[in-house]
Amino acid sequence: AKLKSFAAKIIQLLKEWTETFPYDFQDEKSMKELKEIAHRITQCDEENGTVKKIISQMTQNLLMALSARSQYQEIREKFRQPVTDKGTILKTKPQSTQKDILSVCCDPLILAQQLTYIELERVSNIYPEDLMQIVSHMDSLDNHKCRSDVTKTYNLEAYDNWFNCLSMLVATEICRVVKKKQRTRTVEFFIDVARECFNIGNFNSMMAII
């Protein structure tokens, strides 16, 4: 009876651990230890099929979470690769093919909504590991130690980079317009986009535009 009670508590602990910090189990050693613990728990209560089912579901969810984050990281790495000078690309392209933001989307609300979708996608991929990474990194800097065991997740960095990219996009779209009248129109458009972002509650994009 005591073993069954203990097993239930261990299952709850592992379930919350794998859901909140799945990156702790991304290497083979930690995954092997998790499977060994799960096997021992199952042996403590072999006649109860529910325990085995819970552990199986927990392991499956963990593998899916690690796979999803790995795929997201691969996509992130593609965007991190250096590109050629964009200024040169613009000069070589014919003037007729160079589209400004207003020719692509002239409705401030629609652009604000699209920016919000991007913000939500970036935020949804920030996990407790990313915050713990910063704490660990700051602690290692204070103690002058090298934390080689810390796994980089880049998700906070991606969110920060998105803010900078949006700011640069706004500045570029305004500065690339030659005529003052068109430039004024572009500035007013982005002011309207920022206002719509504020109305939606997307304060990060609003501040990037400002």
Side-chain angles (χ1 to χ4, degrees):
K2 286 183 179 180
L3 278 173
K4 289 180 181 180
S5 176
F6 180 72
K9 291 176 182 178
I10 290 293
I11 290 170
Q12 182 64 26
L13 172 64
L14 292 176
K15 191 170 180 294
E16 291 185 13
W17 190 353
T18 54
E19 288 175 356
T20 310
F21 298 100
Y23 262 43
D24 286 353
F25 303 93
Q26 66 178 348
D27 60 276
E28 292 182 10
K29 184 181 177 182
S30 56
M31 184 62 77
K32 184 181 177 181
E33 289 175 351
L34 176 65
K35 288 179 179 178
E36 286 177 357
I37 294 170
H39 178 68
R40 292 177 68 180
I41 293 170
T42 307
Q43 286 182 325
C44 291
D45 198 5
E46 286 182 322
E47 68 274 8
N48 189 354
T50 307
V51 172
K52 193 173 181 179
K53 188 177 179 181
I54 291 170
I55 291 173
S56 176
Q57 186 65 47
M58 178 192 72
T59 307
Q60 187 178 350
N61 291 340
L62 173 61
L63 293 173
M64 287 175 63
L66 289 173
S67 176
R69 296 187 193 192
S70 177
Q71 289 175 3
Y72 179 73
Q73 184 60 30
E74 287 176 7
I75 295 169
R76 280 271 300 106
E77 288 299 327
K78 288 181 181 178
F79 286 106
R80 284 165 61 87
Q81 294 175 1
V83 295
T84 54
D85 183 22
K86 293 182 176 64
T88 308
I89 294 171
L90 287 172
K91 288 176 184 177
T92 55
K93 278 188 175 183
Q95 191 68 30
S96 58
T97 62
Q98 296 181 23
K99 292 183 178 181
D100 59 12
I101 191 73
L102 290 171
S103 64
V104 177
C105 178
C106 60
D107 189 335
L109 177 59
I110 291 176
L111 182 56
Q113 289 172 342
Q114 294 302 314
L115 292 175
T116 305
Y117 289 139
I118 296 171
E119 291 281 349
L120 291 172
E121 188 267 339
R122 296 289 193 280
V123 170
S124 67
N125 284 284
I126 296 176
Y127 300 97
E129 287 103 340
D130 301 284
L131 304 176
M132 293 299 293
Q133 164 116 6
I134 291 179
V135 174
S136 298
H137 182 64
M138 290 174 67
D139 182 59
S140 64
L141 288 177
D142 292 338
N143 296 321
H144 304 285
K145 294 178 181 178
C146 179
R147 289 295 303 275
S148 57
D149 59 323
V150 177
T151 303
K152 293 183 179 180
T153 55
Y154 300 110
N155 295 323
L156 281 170
E157 180 190 343
Y159 193 52
D160 185 52
N161 287 343
W162 161 246
F163 182 94
N164 296 330
C165 285
L166 180 56
S167 294
M168 288 187 283
L169 171 67
V170 174
T172 303
E173 287 297 324
I174 293 169
C175 293
R176 66 183 290 195
V177 181
V178 179
K179 295 181 180 179
K180 289 182 180 179
K181 189 175 181 181
Q182 291 178 337
R183 187 173 290 183
T184 303
R185 186 186 171 201
T186 306
V187 172
E188 290 174 347
F189 173 74
F190 278 114
I191 291 171
D192 291 337
V193 173
R195 185 181 292 112
E196 293 296 343
C197 286
F198 176 81
N199 293 334
I200 294 172
N202 181 2
F203 303 112
N204 202 60
S205 290
M206 181 194 74
M207 291 305 298
I209 292 169
I210 290 173

